[in-house]
mmCIF file of all heavy atoms in Angstrom:
data_model
loop_
_atom_site.group_PDB
_atom_site.id
_atom_site.type_symbol
_atom_site.label_atom_id
_atom_site.label_comp_id
_atom_site.label_asym_id
_atom_site.label_seq_id
_atom_site.Cartn_x
_atom_site.Cartn_y
_atom_site.Cartn_z
ATOM 1 N N GLU W 740 -164.537 25.477 11.721
ATOM 2 C CA GLU W 740 -163.798 24.244 11.465
ATOM 3 C C GLU W 740 -163.758 23.281 12.649
ATOM 4 O O GLU W 740 -163.545 22.089 12.464
ATOM 5 C CB GLU W 740 -162.359 24.581 11.070
ATOM 6 C CG GLU W 740 -162.242 25.369 9.783
ATOM 7 C CD GLU W 740 -160.815 25.858 9.539
ATOM 8 O OE1 GLU W 740 -159.878 25.361 10.202
ATOM 9 O OE2 GLU W 740 -160.647 26.735 8.690
ATOM 10 N N HIS W 741 -163.906 23.800 13.875
ATOM 11 C CA HIS W 741 -163.739 22.990 15.082
ATOM 12 C C HIS W 741 -164.919 23.191 16.015
ATOM 13 O O HIS W 741 -165.511 24.265 16.061
ATOM 14 C CB HIS W 741 -162.460 23.403 15.837
ATOM 15 C CG HIS W 741 -161.218 23.322 15.024
ATOM 16 N ND1 HIS W 741 -160.531 22.147 14.823
ATOM 17 C CD2 HIS W 741 -160.520 24.271 14.345
ATOM 18 C CE1 HIS W 741 -159.480 22.373 14.071
ATOM 19 N NE2 HIS W 741 -159.447 23.654 13.764
ATOM 20 N N HIS W 742 -165.206 22.151 16.799
ATOM 21 C CA HIS W 742 -166.193 22.306 17.860
ATOM 22 C C HIS W 742 -165.541 23.094 18.995
ATOM 23 O O HIS W 742 -164.468 22.723 19.478
ATOM 24 C CB HIS W 742 -166.664 20.949 18.381
ATOM 25 C CG HIS W 742 -167.496 21.086 19.610
ATOM 26 N ND1 HIS W 742 -168.813 21.489 19.559
ATOM 27 C CD2 HIS W 742 -167.188 20.929 20.914
ATOM 28 C CE1 HIS W 742 -169.286 21.557 20.794
ATOM 29 N NE2 HIS W 742 -168.310 21.215 21.640
ATOM 30 N N VAL W 743 -166.175 24.188 19.403
ATOM 31 C CA VAL W 743 -165.659 25.020 20.488
ATOM 32 C C VAL W 743 -166.797 25.290 21.466
ATOM 33 O O VAL W 743 -167.900 25.663 21.063
ATOM 34 C CB VAL W 743 -165.091 26.353 19.939
ATOM 35 C CG1 VAL W 743 -164.716 27.290 21.070
ATOM 36 C CG2 VAL W 743 -163.889 26.090 19.037
ATOM 37 N N ASP W 744 -166.518 25.091 22.752
ATOM 38 C CA ASP W 744 -167.520 25.352 23.784
ATOM 39 C C ASP W 744 -167.416 26.764 24.342
ATOM 40 O O ASP W 744 -168.428 27.404 24.624
ATOM 41 C CB ASP W 744 -167.353 24.355 24.937
ATOM 42 C CG ASP W 744 -167.597 22.927 24.483
ATOM 43 O OD1 ASP W 744 -168.748 22.636 24.091
ATOM 44 O OD2 ASP W 744 -166.643 22.130 24.489
ATOM 45 N N VAL W 745 -166.186 27.233 24.518
ATOM 46 C CA VAL W 745 -165.984 28.561 25.115
ATOM 47 C C VAL W 745 -164.833 29.276 24.410
ATOM 48 O O VAL W 745 -163.849 28.649 24.027
ATOM 49 C CB VAL W 745 -165.734 28.448 26.637
ATOM 50 C CG1 VAL W 745 -164.497 27.649 26.944
ATOM 51 C CG2 VAL W 745 -165.647 29.808 27.303
ATOM 52 N N VAL W 746 -165.004 30.581 24.243
ATOM 53 C CA VAL W 746 -163.978 31.420 23.626
ATOM 54 C C VAL W 746 -163.516 32.442 24.661
ATOM 55 O O VAL W 746 -164.331 33.191 25.202
ATOM 56 C CB VAL W 746 -164.519 32.152 22.377
ATOM 57 C CG1 VAL W 746 -163.453 33.069 21.780
ATOM 58 C CG2 VAL W 746 -165.020 31.164 21.342
ATOM 59 N N PHE W 747 -162.219 32.448 24.943
ATOM 60 C CA PHE W 747 -161.594 33.477 25.765
ATOM 61 C C PHE W 747 -160.921 34.433 24.792
ATOM 62 O O PHE W 747 -160.000 34.041 24.083
ATOM 63 C CB PHE W 747 -160.553 32.862 26.706
ATOM 64 C CG PHE W 747 -161.138 32.005 27.781
ATOM 65 C CD1 PHE W 747 -161.351 30.649 27.578
ATOM 66 C CD2 PHE W 747 -161.478 32.554 29.014
ATOM 67 C CE1 PHE W 747 -161.887 29.855 28.578
ATOM 68 C CE2 PHE W 747 -162.023 31.767 30.021
ATOM 69 C CZ PHE W 747 -162.228 30.415 29.797
ATOM 70 N N MET W 748 -161.402 35.695 24.736
ATOM 71 C CA MET W 748 -160.991 36.563 23.641
ATOM 72 C C MET W 748 -160.659 37.983 24.101
ATOM 73 O O MET W 748 -161.398 38.587 24.877
ATOM 74 C CB MET W 748 -162.116 36.600 22.598
ATOM 75 C CG MET W 748 -161.783 37.388 21.366
ATOM 76 S SD MET W 748 -162.791 36.942 19.925
ATOM 77 C CE MET W 748 -164.420 36.704 20.563
ATOM 78 N N ASP W 749 -159.569 38.485 23.555
ATOM 79 C CA ASP W 749 -159.188 39.880 23.730
ATOM 80 C C ASP W 749 -160.146 40.741 22.920
ATOM 81 O O ASP W 749 -160.800 40.254 21.986
ATOM 82 C CB ASP W 749 -157.747 40.066 23.246
ATOM 83 C CG ASP W 749 -157.150 41.410 23.636
ATOM 84 O OD1 ASP W 749 -157.742 42.125 24.473
ATOM 85 O OD2 ASP W 749 -156.075 41.739 23.105
ATOM 86 N N ILE W 750 -160.236 42.010 23.245
ATOM 87 C CA ILE W 750 -161.115 42.911 22.490
ATOM 88 C C ILE W 750 -160.343 43.664 21.415
ATOM 89 O O ILE W 750 -160.741 43.672 20.253
ATOM 90 C CB ILE W 750 -161.829 43.897 23.439
ATOM 91 C CG1 ILE W 750 -162.892 43.147 24.242
ATOM 92 C CG2 ILE W 750 -162.462 45.054 22.656
ATOM 93 C CD1 ILE W 750 -163.677 44.001 25.200
ATOM 94 N N GLN W 751 -159.234 44.268 21.772
ATOM 95 C CA GLN W 751 -158.460 45.082 20.828
ATOM 96 C C GLN W 751 -157.436 44.205 20.116
ATOM 97 O O GLN W 751 -156.419 43.848 20.693
ATOM 98 C CB GLN W 751 -157.745 46.211 21.569
ATOM 99 C CG GLN W 751 -158.698 47.228 22.162
ATOM 100 C CD GLN W 751 -159.290 48.141 21.106
ATOM 101 O OE1 GLN W 751 -160.075 47.722 20.263
ATOM 102 N NE2 GLN W 751 -158.921 49.393 21.154
ATOM 103 N N MET W 752 -157.729 43.875 18.852
ATOM 104 C CA MET W 752 -156.823 43.060 18.047
ATOM 105 C C MET W 752 -156.823 43.577 16.617
ATOM 106 O O MET W 752 -157.812 44.152 16.168
ATOM 107 C CB MET W 752 -157.272 41.586 18.037
ATOM 108 C CG MET W 752 -157.205 40.899 19.363
ATOM 109 S SD MET W 752 -157.731 39.174 19.256
ATOM 110 C CE MET W 752 -159.502 39.368 19.027
ATOM 111 N N PRO W 753 -155.729 43.342 15.902
ATOM 112 C CA PRO W 753 -155.708 43.730 14.487
ATOM 113 C C PRO W 753 -156.610 42.816 13.656
ATOM 114 O O PRO W 753 -157.038 41.767 14.126
ATOM 115 C CB PRO W 753 -154.240 43.547 14.100
ATOM 116 C CG PRO W 753 -153.714 42.548 15.069
ATOM 117 C CD PRO W 753 -154.481 42.750 16.340
ATOM 118 N N VAL W 754 -156.886 43.213 12.465
ATOM 119 C CA VAL W 754 -157.669 42.493 11.461
ATOM 120 C C VAL W 754 -159.161 42.525 11.789
ATOM 121 O O VAL W 754 -159.950 43.061 11.035
ATOM 122 C CB VAL W 754 -157.189 41.042 11.221
ATOM 123 C CG1 VAL W 754 -157.978 40.387 10.099
ATOM 124 C CG2 VAL W 754 -155.687 40.980 10.942
ATOM 125 N N LEU W 755 -159.572 41.934 12.920
ATOM 126 C CA LEU W 755 -160.982 41.921 13.329
ATOM 127 C C LEU W 755 -161.025 41.966 14.849
ATOM 128 O O LEU W 755 -160.424 41.123 15.515
ATOM 129 C CB LEU W 755 -161.665 40.638 12.815
ATOM 130 C CG LEU W 755 -163.167 40.535 12.991
ATOM 131 C CD1 LEU W 755 -163.900 41.576 12.149
ATOM 132 C CD2 LEU W 755 -163.639 39.137 12.630
ATOM 133 N N SER W 756 -161.712 42.955 15.385
ATOM 134 C CA SER W 756 -161.761 43.117 16.844
ATOM 135 C C SER W 756 -162.483 41.953 17.509
ATOM 136 O O SER W 756 -163.266 41.236 16.880
ATOM 137 C CB SER W 756 -162.476 44.422 17.209
ATOM 138 O OG SER W 756 -163.881 44.278 17.054
ATOM 139 N N GLY W 757 -162.237 41.795 18.789
ATOM 140 C CA GLY W 757 -162.916 40.757 19.541
ATOM 141 C C GLY W 757 -164.417 40.949 19.584
ATOM 142 O O GLY W 757 -165.176 39.979 19.543
ATOM 143 N N LEU W 758 -164.855 42.200 19.653
ATOM 144 C CA LEU W 758 -166.299 42.466 19.684
ATOM 145 C C LEU W 758 -166.964 42.052 18.380
ATOM 146 O O LEU W 758 -168.008 41.410 18.379
ATOM 147 C CB LEU W 758 -166.564 43.936 20.001
ATOM 148 C CG LEU W 758 -166.166 44.378 21.413
ATOM 149 C CD1 LEU W 758 -166.245 45.897 21.535
ATOM 150 C CD2 LEU W 758 -167.028 43.709 22.470
ATOM 151 N N GLU W 759 -166.341 42.395 17.258
ATOM 152 C CA GLU W 759 -166.918 42.010 15.964
ATOM 153 C C GLU W 759 -166.839 40.494 15.771
ATOM 154 O O GLU W 759 -167.766 39.877 15.251
ATOM 155 C CB GLU W 759 -166.213 42.728 14.811
ATOM 156 C CG GLU W 759 -166.794 42.401 13.444
ATOM 157 C CD GLU W 759 -168.299 42.626 13.315
ATOM 158 O OE1 GLU W 759 -168.828 43.608 13.891
ATOM 159 O OE2 GLU W 759 -168.962 41.815 12.642
ATOM 160 N N ALA W 760 -165.736 39.895 16.205
ATOM 161 C CA ALA W 760 -165.620 38.434 16.109
ATOM 162 C C ALA W 760 -166.705 37.765 16.943
ATOM 163 O O ALA W 760 -167.327 36.803 16.493
ATOM 164 C CB ALA W 760 -164.238 37.985 16.565
ATOM 165 N N ALA W 761 -166.953 38.275 18.138
ATOM 166 C CA ALA W 761 -168.005 37.707 18.997
ATOM 167 C C ALA W 761 -169.364 37.813 18.327
ATOM 168 O O ALA W 761 -170.168 36.877 18.386
ATOM 169 C CB ALA W 761 -168.023 38.416 20.349
ATOM 170 N N ARG W 762 -169.616 38.925 17.674
ATOM 171 C CA ARG W 762 -170.882 39.107 16.957
ATOM 172 C C ARG W 762 -171.043 38.024 15.887
ATOM 173 O O ARG W 762 -172.095 37.399 15.765
ATOM 174 C CB ARG W 762 -170.906 40.511 16.339
ATOM 175 C CG ARG W 762 -172.233 40.966 15.820
ATOM 176 C CD ARG W 762 -172.211 42.434 15.383
ATOM 177 N NE ARG W 762 -172.157 43.335 16.540
ATOM 178 C CZ ARG W 762 -171.082 44.063 16.913
ATOM 179 N NH1 ARG W 762 -169.975 44.023 16.202
ATOM 180 N NH2 ARG W 762 -171.116 44.828 17.970
ATOM 181 N N GLN W 763 -169.982 37.759 15.138
ATOM 182 C CA GLN W 763 -170.032 36.749 14.082
ATOM 183 C C GLN W 763 -170.117 35.332 14.659
ATOM 184 O O GLN W 763 -170.827 34.473 14.124
ATOM 185 C CB GLN W 763 -168.819 36.888 13.162
ATOM 186 C CG GLN W 763 -168.849 38.169 12.346
ATOM 187 C CD GLN W 763 -167.655 38.306 11.428
ATOM 188 O OE1 GLN W 763 -167.069 37.309 10.990
ATOM 189 N NE2 GLN W 763 -167.281 39.535 11.115
ATOM 190 N N ILE W 764 -169.404 35.087 15.743
ATOM 191 C CA ILE W 764 -169.446 33.769 16.378
ATOM 192 C C ILE W 764 -170.841 33.475 16.904
ATOM 193 O O ILE W 764 -171.382 32.385 16.707
ATOM 194 C CB ILE W 764 -168.383 33.678 17.498
ATOM 195 C CG1 ILE W 764 -166.983 33.629 16.875
ATOM 196 C CG2 ILE W 764 -168.633 32.474 18.399
ATOM 197 C CD1 ILE W 764 -165.846 33.853 17.864
ATOM 198 N N LYS W 765 -171.447 34.451 17.574
ATOM 199 C CA LYS W 765 -172.795 34.261 18.123
ATOM 200 C C LYS W 765 -173.825 34.092 16.996
ATOM 201 O O LYS W 765 -174.792 33.358 17.150
ATOM 202 C CB LYS W 765 -173.189 35.429 19.033
ATOM 203 C CG LYS W 765 -172.524 35.374 20.393
ATOM 204 C CD LYS W 765 -172.992 34.156 21.164
ATOM 205 C CE LYS W 765 -172.681 34.235 22.625
ATOM 206 N NZ LYS W 765 -173.225 33.113 23.381
ATOM 207 N N ALA W 766 -173.614 34.742 15.864
ATOM 208 C CA ALA W 766 -174.507 34.570 14.715
ATOM 209 C C ALA W 766 -174.398 33.148 14.171
ATOM 210 O O ALA W 766 -175.379 32.577 13.691
ATOM 211 C CB ALA W 766 -174.186 35.585 13.624
ATOM 212 N N PHE W 767 -173.223 32.561 14.263
ATOM 213 C CA PHE W 767 -172.992 31.197 13.790
ATOM 214 C C PHE W 767 -173.539 30.168 14.773
ATOM 215 O O PHE W 767 -174.152 29.180 14.377
ATOM 216 C CB PHE W 767 -171.496 30.974 13.556
ATOM 217 C CG PHE W 767 -171.139 29.573 13.163
ATOM 218 C CD1 PHE W 767 -171.454 29.087 11.903
ATOM 219 C CD2 PHE W 767 -170.496 28.722 14.055
ATOM 220 C CE1 PHE W 767 -171.136 27.783 11.531
ATOM 221 C CE2 PHE W 767 -170.164 27.424 13.705
ATOM 222 C CZ PHE W 767 -170.486 26.957 12.442
ATOM 223 N N ASP W 768 -173.296 30.399 16.088
ATOM 224 C CA ASP W 768 -173.712 29.432 17.107
ATOM 225 C C ASP W 768 -173.947 30.155 18.433
ATOM 226 O O ASP W 768 -173.001 30.531 19.122
ATOM 227 C CB ASP W 768 -172.641 28.356 17.274
ATOM 228 C CG ASP W 768 -173.040 27.254 18.246
ATOM 229 O OD1 ASP W 768 -174.023 27.417 18.999
ATOM 230 O OD2 ASP W 768 -172.343 26.224 18.263
ATOM 231 N N GLN W 769 -175.210 30.318 18.796
ATOM 232 C CA GLN W 769 -175.585 31.020 20.020
ATOM 233 C C GLN W 769 -175.115 30.299 21.284
ATOM 234 O O GLN W 769 -175.025 30.907 22.345
ATOM 235 C CB GLN W 769 -177.113 31.182 20.093
ATOM 236 C CG GLN W 769 -177.659 32.288 19.228
ATOM 237 C CD GLN W 769 -177.328 33.656 19.804
ATOM 238 O OE1 GLN W 769 -177.351 33.871 21.000
ATOM 239 N NE2 GLN W 769 -177.006 34.583 18.922
ATOM 240 N N GLN W 770 -174.819 29.009 21.196
ATOM 241 C CA GLN W 770 -174.455 28.226 22.374
ATOM 242 C C GLN W 770 -173.001 28.417 22.820
ATOM 243 O O GLN W 770 -172.646 28.059 23.945
ATOM 244 C CB GLN W 770 -174.713 26.736 22.112
ATOM 245 C CG GLN W 770 -176.158 26.418 21.779
ATOM 246 C CD GLN W 770 -177.117 26.898 22.854
ATOM 247 O OE1 GLN W 770 -176.924 26.632 24.022
ATOM 248 N NE2 GLN W 770 -178.140 27.625 22.464
ATOM 249 N N ILE W 771 -172.172 28.958 21.950
ATOM 250 C CA ILE W 771 -170.767 29.160 22.311
ATOM 251 C C ILE W 771 -170.677 30.253 23.371
ATOM 252 O O ILE W 771 -171.253 31.322 23.228
ATOM 253 C CB ILE W 771 -169.922 29.520 21.073
ATOM 254 C CG1 ILE W 771 -169.908 28.348 20.083
ATOM 255 C CG2 ILE W 771 -168.493 29.904 21.490
ATOM 256 C CD1 ILE W 771 -169.228 28.646 18.769
ATOM 257 N N ILE W 772 -169.957 29.953 24.432
ATOM 258 C CA ILE W 772 -169.775 30.904 25.533
ATOM 259 C C ILE W 772 -168.603 31.819 25.194
ATOM 260 O O ILE W 772 -167.528 31.349 24.823
ATOM 261 C CB ILE W 772 -169.512 30.150 26.854
ATOM 262 C CG1 ILE W 772 -170.738 29.311 27.214
ATOM 263 C CG2 ILE W 772 -169.128 31.115 27.972
ATOM 264 C CD1 ILE W 772 -170.491 28.310 28.319
ATOM 265 N N ILE W 773 -168.813 33.107 25.340
ATOM 266 C CA ILE W 773 -167.770 34.106 25.085
ATOM 267 C C ILE W 773 -167.360 34.732 26.409
ATOM 268 O O ILE W 773 -168.207 35.218 27.169
ATOM 269 C CB ILE W 773 -168.264 35.225 24.143
ATOM 270 C CG1 ILE W 773 -168.839 34.667 22.833
ATOM 271 C CG2 ILE W 773 -167.151 36.251 23.907
ATOM 272 C CD1 ILE W 773 -167.850 34.250 21.810
ATOM 273 N N VAL W 774 -166.062 34.741 26.673
ATOM 274 C CA VAL W 774 -165.495 35.427 27.831
ATOM 275 C C VAL W 774 -164.447 36.390 27.291
ATOM 276 O O VAL W 774 -163.508 35.969 26.616
ATOM 277 C CB VAL W 774 -164.848 34.434 28.822
ATOM 278 C CG1 VAL W 774 -164.178 35.186 29.969
ATOM 279 C CG2 VAL W 774 -165.876 33.446 29.345
ATOM 280 N N PHE W 775 -164.630 37.671 27.566
ATOM 281 C CA PHE W 775 -163.647 38.651 27.132
ATOM 282 C C PHE W 775 -162.569 38.805 28.182
ATOM 283 O O PHE W 775 -162.850 38.892 29.376
ATOM 284 C CB PHE W 775 -164.303 40.006 26.850
ATOM 285 C CG PHE W 775 -165.076 40.035 25.575
ATOM 286 C CD1 PHE W 775 -166.456 40.042 25.590
ATOM 287 C CD2 PHE W 775 -164.425 40.040 24.356
ATOM 288 C CE1 PHE W 775 -167.175 40.056 24.411
ATOM 289 C CE2 PHE W 775 -165.136 40.043 23.169
ATOM 290 C CZ PHE W 775 -166.514 40.060 23.199
ATOM 291 N N LEU W 776 -161.324 38.811 27.732
ATOM 292 C CA LEU W 776 -160.158 39.076 28.560
ATOM 293 C C LEU W 776 -159.472 40.278 27.928
ATOM 294 O O LEU W 776 -158.988 40.180 26.803
ATOM 295 C CB LEU W 776 -159.205 37.883 28.543
ATOM 296 C CG LEU W 776 -159.700 36.642 29.250
ATOM 297 C CD1 LEU W 776 -159.036 35.406 28.687
ATOM 298 C CD2 LEU W 776 -159.405 36.770 30.729
ATOM 299 N N THR W 777 -159.438 41.393 28.630
ATOM 300 C CA THR W 777 -158.920 42.589 28.009
ATOM 301 C C THR W 777 -158.204 43.484 29.001
ATOM 302 O O THR W 777 -158.484 43.438 30.199
ATOM 303 C CB THR W 777 -160.068 43.360 27.324
ATOM 304 O OG1 THR W 777 -159.551 44.509 26.671
ATOM 305 C CG2 THR W 777 -161.135 43.772 28.332
#
């Protein structure tokens, strides 16, 4: 829904983990930068 340049994301979360979310985000847009904070 939104233009995002960088994602700061936890790994252990309910519903969908940060790792799985990152996999889906990268599949949608390889240019988005992912930084894990855990």
Side-chain angles (χ1 to χ4, degrees):
E740 297 172 15
H741 303 278
H742 171 77
V743 173
D744 297 296
V745 61
V746 178
F747 291 89
M748 184 158 40
D749 192 12
I750 288 181
Q751 294 285 68
M752 295 181 288
V754 184
L755 188 66
S756 76
L758 293 170
E759 182 54 38
R762 192 173 287 108
Q763 292 180 28
I764 289 167
K765 284 295 196 175
F767 176 72
D768 184 346
Q769 282 287 322
Q770 301 304 310
I771 296 174
I772 297 168
I773 306 281
V774 176
F775 285 107
L776 291 155
T777 182

